[in-house]
Amino acid sequence: MDLDRSEDSEARFARYVAGLAEVIGHPDRARPLRDYCTGLILPGDRKSVEPMAARTAPARTAAQHQSLLHFVGNACWSDEQVLAKMREMVLPAIEKDGPIEAWIIDDTSFPKKGKHSVGVHHQYCGQLGKQANCQVTVSLSIANRSASLPVAYRLYLPEAWTKDRARRKKAGVPKDVKFKTKPEIALEQIQWACEAGLPRGVGLMDAAYGNDSRLRSGMMALGVLYVASILPNTLMWQSGAGPRRKGKPLNNTGRRDEPGLISAKEVALGLPKQAWRTVKWREGSAEWLSSRFARVRVSVGHNKLIPEKLSPEWLLIEWPEGEAEPTKYWLSTLPVNVSFRQLVDFAKLRWRIERDYQELKQEVGLGHFEGRGWRGFHHHATLCIAAYGFLVSERETIPPSGPRSTTILPTPVVPDGYRPRGSSLAA
C-alpha cells in the first residue's frame, strides 16, 4: 500500500495504522495499536506507557494505561508480520528517490539500572562509550541515498542470561533463543533478508562486525557484497603476493606463519605517495565532505577457505591530511571496476544508521520502554520502528525544494479523537 502524497497527513496516518492492524490478529487490538503509535509520534519527553496514556486519553488515563500495557507487554502478536507490513507500505516512498543500495548492520545500546530487565548486563555501551550496565540490540536496515529503515531487530542475550533458567523464565525469553554473538545474529538477519527477497544492497558494517571473518565469509556465501570496516591489525596479502603453499583454514586472529602475510596498517604505510587521493563523497550542511584515501587489491583469510581459493578484495584506507597515521580501514568485495568515489561513497553511507538511531531514540522513544520482558521489549521496538517508518514516508512527501536534509522529523497531524485536548503537548 503506497502512501499517496496527495492525501493529507491525518488521512495517511489513519490509513497507515489501519494497514498495520490487518496483521495483529484480534480486532480488539486495533485501537491500542493506533493509540500506541499515536503516543509515539506526539510531542513529549517520555514515550513509555504511562505518559503516552495521559497524552492519548487524558479523561481515562488509568484505563488507557492498562490497555496499552497489556497490548505491548502481553498480547501475542507477531513482530515479524508488523515489520513486514510496514515495509510493504513504506518501501515505495523510499524507492521514489532511487532503489535500495545498502544493507546496514549495526547495534545500539540502552543504559539500564538493576539486573532484571531482559538482557541487561555489564558490557560495552555505545551510547556511553564505555563498559556499563545496558541492553544491546542488533539490527539490519535497508537504505538508499535519501532514506533508510530498520527491517530486522533483535535483543542480544549475553551468555550469562542464556544459562540462567530462572531469569529467562521470569523475563519470558523463548526456549529456542540460544546464545549467539552479535555477528552471528547479524548473519542470521542477512540470511533472512535474502530468503525474504528484500531488495539487495551492499552490506555495510563497522569494525565490530566487519572484523569478524565468519560474518564476511557468510555474506560471501550468500552472494551479498560488502564494504566492511576492519581493524588496522587485520592480516592480509597484497595483490601478487598471496599465499603459495597449502595450509589449514585461515582466520584473522594473528597468524604469521604464512609467507607475505602483513597487517592492513603495514599495507597502508608501505603505499607510495601517488596512491593517495582526495575524494569527495557527500554534500554536508556547509560544504562537500572529503578526505584522503588509498585503495589496493588484497587477499584476506576467511574461515573455511583454503589459501588457494581466496578471492582478491579491495582494501580502502582513509588517512586525513594532518593525521600522523591512517584512521580507518575497510575491506570490500565490490567489483574490481568500481570507481574510487563509489567505493568511498559506500564506505561512508553507513552514517545513515547513526541518524536512524538518533531519531528513533529522540523522536519516537525507542529507549523509553520500562518493562522487563522479552515480548514487551520487542513489541515496543517494533511499534517504534513502525512509527518511524510513517515519519520517513512523510518526509519523502516533502517537495525537492523543501528542507529535505533537516534532521528534525515532522510531527504529522493525527485524528482529533487521539489528540489530547486542552493540553500544551497537543500543539
Side-chain angles (χ1 to χ4, degrees):
M1 178 168 53
D2 194 0
L3 298 173
D4 189 347
R5 68 179 61 185
S6 66
E7 296 179 296
D8 62 21
S9 180
E10 180 177 337
R12 286 193 298 270
F13 177 75
R15 189 158 67 100
Y16 181 77
V17 177
L20 297 178
E22 295 173 5
V23 298
I24 60 167
H26 202 283
D28 288 350
R29 295 174 186 160
R31 185 180 180 94
L33 167 68
R34 181 164 54 175
D35 290 351
Y36 206 96
C37 289
T38 300
L40 292 173
I41 63 175
L42 283 175
D45 292 335
R46 290 292 296 176
K47 302 295 177 74
S48 54
V49 172
E50 189 171 358
M52 288 199 301
R55 292 188 199 107
T56 56
R60 52 180 189 87
T61 299
Q64 180 77 327
H65 179 266
Q66 290 302 312
S67 173
L68 298 183
L69 196 62
H70 175 79
F71 175 69
V72 76
N74 302 108
C76 187
W77 47 268
S78 168
D79 294 298
E80 292 76 14
Q81 290 181 17
V82 171
L83 291 177
K85 189 65 179 180
M86 175 208 64
R87 291 197 313 272
E88 176 189 324
M89 294 188 288
V90 177
L91 190 56
I94 295 177
E95 292 183 320
K96 284 177 180 177
D97 289 318
I100 296 303
E101 298 176 82
W103 288 0
I104 307 177
I105 302 161
D106 205 4
D107 57 56
T108 193
S109 54
F110 308 96
K112 289 284 182 178
K113 296 180 180 179
K115 61 180 182 179
H116 299 294
S117 294
V118 63
V120 71
H121 193 67
H122 191 77
Q123 56 194 321
Y124 181 76
C125 179
Q127 184 171 324
L128 301 177
K130 62 179 182 180
Q131 295 283 322
N133 217 44
C134 66
Q135 295 166 303
V136 178
T137 60
V138 181
S139 68
L140 176 66
S141 295
I142 55 176
N144 60 19
R145 307 293 154 167
S146 65
S148 53
L149 183 71
V151 293
Y153 186 92
R154 211 208 86 170
L155 177 70
Y156 164 70
L157 201 65
E159 194 167 10
W161 264 87
T162 63
K163 296 178 178 179
D164 192 327
R165 293 184 179 180
R167 280 209 297 179
R168 286 180 64 114
K169 184 177 180 180
K170 191 172 183 179
V173 178
K175 292 182 179 180
D176 62 349
V177 174
K178 310 299 182 184
F179 174 72
K180 292 184 183 298
T181 65
K182 298 184 198 73
E184 286 173 337
I185 295 172
L187 184 56
E188 281 191 349
Q189 292 176 339
I190 293 166
Q191 185 172 4
W192 160 82
C194 292
E195 294 171 351
L198 267 62
R200 282 291 180 117
V202 176
L204 309 179
M205 59 200 110
D206 65 16
Y209 295 89
N211 224 64
D212 190 290
S213 62
R214 292 180 178 87
L215 174 56
R216 297 199 314 271
S217 61
M219 293 173 71
M220 291 176 69
L222 291 167
V224 178
L225 302 175
Y226 60 73
V227 180
S229 182
I230 58 169
L231 297 176
N233 62 354
T234 303
L235 300 175
M236 58 194 63
W237 294 271
Q238 282 189 259
S239 182
R244 291 290 181 266
R245 63 180 176 84
K246 294 183 179 180
K248 297 178 181 179
L250 301 175
N251 55 41
N252 293 333
T253 58
R255 285 187 52 173
R256 284 188 173 274
D257 57 346
E258 296 286 348
L261 194 63
I262 61 175
S263 70
K265 184 176 180 179
E266 289 174 298
V267 173
L269 296 178
L271 292 176
K273 184 177 180 179
Q274 59 268 28
W276 299 92
R277 286 179 48 187
T278 298
V279 180
K280 298 178 180 180
W281 67 85
R282 178 169 59 84
E283 190 173 5
S285 56
E287 58 185 16
W288 278 85
L289 302 178
S290 65
S291 187
R292 196 172 64 137
F293 297 88
R295 64 173 180 171
V296 63
R297 300 293 280 174
V298 298
S299 295
V300 185
H302 290 270
N303 286 342
K304 301 181 182 179
L305 292 178
I306 61 174
E308 285 73 13
K309 293 188 178 181
L310 296 178
S311 299
E313 304 179 35
W314 284 112
L315 171 65
L316 176 67
I317 310 142
E318 181 177 3
W319 191 344
E321 292 284 355
E323 294 290 339
E325 60 184 37
T327 56
K328 293 180 181 178
Y329 302 81
W330 296 267
L331 284 172
S332 176
T333 53
L334 285 172
V336 66
N337 62 348
V338 67
S339 73
F340 208 149
R341 181 174 175 179
Q342 284 177 314
L343 182 58
V344 171
D345 197 35
F346 270 112
K348 293 296 185 177
L349 186 57
R350 208 193 69 83
W351 72 275
R352 297 209 63 93
I353 193 65
E354 306 295 341
R355 193 181 72 174
D356 276 348
Y357 278 135
Q358 180 182 14
E359 293 178 343
L360 277 161
K361 290 180 178 181
Q362 294 180 358
E363 303 293 336
V364 294
L366 180 63
H368 294 177
F369 181 66
E370 295 177 351
R372 294 176 174 177
W374 176 276
R375 178 177 292 171
F377 180 89
H378 287 90
H379 276 1
H380 174 77
T382 293
L383 296 171
C384 286
I385 294 170
Y388 181 67
F390 175 72
L391 296 177
V392 168
S393 62
E394 282 295 280
R395 183 166 54 200
E396 293 307 301
T397 67
I398 301 172
S401 59
R404 298 180 67 85
S405 62
T406 178
T407 59
I408 304 300
L409 289 169
T411 301
V413 178
V414 294
D416 288 342
Y418 298 93
R419 252 177 119 70
R421 301 169 189 265
S423 168
S424 61
L425 293 173

